Short mmCIF file of all heavy atoms in Angstrom, two decimals:
data_model
loop_
_atom_site.label_atom_id
_atom_site.label_comp_id
_atom_site.label_asym_id
_atom_site.label_seq_id
_atom_site.Cartn_x
_atom_site.Cartn_y
_atom_site.Cartn_z
N GLY A 123 -31.38 23.62 -3.37
CA GLY A 123 -31.25 24.04 -4.69
C GLY A 123 -31.95 23.20 -5.75
O GLY A 123 -32.44 23.55 -6.74
N SER A 124 -31.95 21.86 -5.32
CA SER A 124 -32.67 20.89 -6.23
C SER A 124 -34.10 21.24 -6.40
O SER A 124 -34.64 21.04 -7.44
CB SER A 124 -32.60 19.48 -5.60
OG SER A 124 -31.28 19.16 -5.34
N GLU A 125 -34.71 21.73 -5.30
CA GLU A 125 -36.14 22.19 -5.47
C GLU A 125 -36.28 23.44 -6.31
O GLU A 125 -37.10 23.55 -7.18
CB GLU A 125 -36.73 22.59 -4.07
CG GLU A 125 -37.11 21.56 -3.18
CD GLU A 125 -37.33 22.17 -1.80
OE1 GLU A 125 -38.53 22.56 -1.54
OE2 GLU A 125 -36.42 22.23 -1.01
N ALA A 126 -35.33 24.34 -6.16
CA ALA A 126 -35.39 25.64 -6.85
C ALA A 126 -35.33 25.38 -8.35
O ALA A 126 -36.09 26.00 -9.14
CB ALA A 126 -34.29 26.51 -6.42
N THR A 127 -34.44 24.53 -8.78
CA THR A 127 -34.34 24.28 -10.20
C THR A 127 -35.54 23.51 -10.78
O THR A 127 -35.93 23.75 -11.90
CB THR A 127 -33.01 23.44 -10.62
OG1 THR A 127 -32.99 22.28 -9.83
CG2 THR A 127 -31.83 24.32 -10.27
N MET A 128 -36.03 22.61 -9.92
CA MET A 128 -37.27 21.96 -10.35
C MET A 128 -38.48 22.87 -10.53
O MET A 128 -39.23 22.83 -11.50
CB MET A 128 -37.73 20.84 -9.24
CG MET A 128 -38.95 20.15 -9.50
SD MET A 128 -39.17 18.85 -8.35
CE MET A 128 -39.47 19.72 -6.82
N TYR A 129 -38.56 23.87 -9.69
CA TYR A 129 -39.63 24.87 -9.75
C TYR A 129 -39.36 25.76 -10.97
O TYR A 129 -40.32 26.17 -11.65
CB TYR A 129 -39.74 25.73 -8.54
CG TYR A 129 -40.03 24.96 -7.23
CD1 TYR A 129 -39.48 25.34 -6.02
CD2 TYR A 129 -40.84 23.76 -7.29
CE1 TYR A 129 -39.73 24.62 -4.89
CE2 TYR A 129 -41.05 23.04 -6.11
CZ TYR A 129 -40.52 23.47 -4.88
OH TYR A 129 -40.79 22.80 -3.75
N ALA A 130 -38.05 26.09 -11.24
CA ALA A 130 -37.82 26.98 -12.32
C ALA A 130 -38.26 26.36 -13.67
O ALA A 130 -38.91 27.01 -14.48
CB ALA A 130 -36.25 27.26 -12.38
N VAL A 131 -37.92 25.02 -13.85
CA VAL A 131 -38.35 24.44 -15.15
C VAL A 131 -39.89 24.22 -15.18
O VAL A 131 -40.45 24.28 -16.26
CB VAL A 131 -37.55 23.10 -15.44
CG1 VAL A 131 -36.07 23.38 -15.64
CG2 VAL A 131 -37.76 22.10 -14.40
N ARG A 132 -40.49 24.02 -14.03
CA ARG A 132 -41.94 23.85 -14.03
C ARG A 132 -42.62 25.21 -14.42
O ARG A 132 -43.57 25.24 -15.19
CB ARG A 132 -42.33 23.46 -12.62
CG ARG A 132 -43.82 23.00 -12.61
CD ARG A 132 -44.20 22.47 -11.22
NE ARG A 132 -43.44 21.24 -10.82
CZ ARG A 132 -43.47 20.80 -9.59
NH1 ARG A 132 -44.17 21.38 -8.64
NH2 ARG A 132 -42.77 19.78 -9.34
N HIS A 151 -28.00 20.16 -11.67
CA HIS A 151 -28.97 21.06 -11.10
C HIS A 151 -29.63 20.37 -9.84
O HIS A 151 -30.75 20.77 -9.46
CB HIS A 151 -30.00 21.31 -12.17
CG HIS A 151 -29.44 21.90 -13.40
ND1 HIS A 151 -28.88 23.22 -13.52
CD2 HIS A 151 -29.24 21.41 -14.66
CE1 HIS A 151 -28.45 23.49 -14.71
NE2 HIS A 151 -28.56 22.34 -15.42
N GLY A 152 -29.05 19.33 -9.33
CA GLY A 152 -29.64 18.71 -8.11
C GLY A 152 -30.26 17.36 -8.48
O GLY A 152 -30.42 17.05 -9.63
N ASN A 154 -33.38 16.38 -8.41
CA ASN A 154 -34.82 16.26 -8.66
C ASN A 154 -34.92 15.46 -10.02
O ASN A 154 -34.11 15.36 -10.84
CB ASN A 154 -35.48 17.65 -8.84
CG ASN A 154 -35.00 18.40 -10.07
OD1 ASN A 154 -35.21 18.03 -11.14
ND2 ASN A 154 -34.28 19.59 -9.84
N LEU A 157 -34.49 16.93 -13.72
CA LEU A 157 -33.16 17.38 -14.23
C LEU A 157 -32.00 16.40 -14.06
O LEU A 157 -30.91 16.63 -14.32
CB LEU A 157 -32.76 18.75 -13.67
CG LEU A 157 -33.71 19.87 -14.13
CD1 LEU A 157 -33.58 21.08 -13.29
CD2 LEU A 157 -33.42 20.24 -15.61
N ILE A 207 -31.81 25.49 -19.45
CA ILE A 207 -31.36 25.74 -18.09
C ILE A 207 -29.84 25.49 -18.07
O ILE A 207 -29.41 24.42 -18.53
CB ILE A 207 -32.13 24.95 -16.99
CG1 ILE A 207 -31.56 25.33 -15.55
CG2 ILE A 207 -32.14 23.45 -17.26
CD1 ILE A 207 -32.38 24.81 -14.45
N ASP A 242 -28.69 28.86 -13.85
CA ASP A 242 -28.59 28.22 -12.53
C ASP A 242 -27.36 28.82 -11.84
O ASP A 242 -26.25 28.42 -12.10
CB ASP A 242 -28.48 26.67 -12.68
CG ASP A 242 -28.43 26.00 -11.37
OD1 ASP A 242 -28.30 26.73 -10.25
OD2 ASP A 242 -28.58 24.75 -11.33
N ILE A 244 -26.71 28.74 -8.63
CA ILE A 244 -26.62 28.21 -7.24
C ILE A 244 -25.20 28.22 -6.71
O ILE A 244 -24.95 28.42 -5.54
CB ILE A 244 -27.38 26.79 -7.15
CG1 ILE A 244 -28.92 27.07 -7.25
CG2 ILE A 244 -26.93 26.01 -5.97
CD1 ILE A 244 -29.76 25.91 -7.41
N THR A 267 -31.77 30.71 -10.65
CA THR A 267 -31.85 30.09 -9.31
C THR A 267 -30.62 30.44 -8.45
O THR A 267 -29.51 30.62 -8.97
CB THR A 267 -31.93 28.54 -9.48
OG1 THR A 267 -30.89 28.07 -10.34
CG2 THR A 267 -33.27 28.13 -9.95
#
Side-chain angles (χ1 to χ4, degrees):
S124 305
E125 283 170 88
T127 55
M128 176 173 69
Y129 301 146
V131 295
R132 195 177 294 168
H151 305 287
N154 69 66
L157 292 165
I207 181 168
D242 183 348
I244 285 171
T267 49

